[in-house]
Amino acid sequence: MTLHIDSIDPPQGRAGQKWVTIRGDLDSATTVRWGDTKLSAEDWYEETYPDGHTELDITVPKGAGTVHVVAEGDGERSNDVEFTYE
């Protein structure tokens, strides 16, 4: 499967907020780039569903403005979605 983000929910919030959920084909993700912040599997809770989609629940890292969120793993890079800090 190719890494792909279908959605981010909610698409806005504050640093430290629990949980923002990224949904998609993310089972091979080893890194999530949240703007300038690099997150690893230790930074999220992962759940894979029978239909094949994966959800990553992430506590929002520090930041400001609108940032791009991208998943990476196994030499692949997903599309990006935007998250806006309130």
Side-chain angles (χ1 to χ4, degrees), residues 34-47:
W34 192 284
D36 293 333
T37 303
K38 184 178 177 181
L39 305 172
S40 68
E42 297 173 358
D43 298 311
W44 63 71
Y45 173 77
E46 181 175 338
E47 201 163 356

Side-chain angles (χ1 to χ4, degrees), residues 8-14 17 20 60 82-86:
I8 185 169
D9 183 39
Q12 73 283 329
R14 292 182 214 91
Q17 175 179 322
V20 170
V60 178
E82 291 184 346
F83 180 86
T84 302
Y85 286 86
E86 297 175 338

Side-chain angles (χ1 to χ4, degrees), residues 4-5 10 26 41 43-44 49 58-60 66 68 81:
H4 181 80
I5 298 174
L26 302 167
D43 298 311
W44 63 71
Y49 292 86
I58 298 173
T59 300
V60 178
T66 298
H68 294 272
V81 292

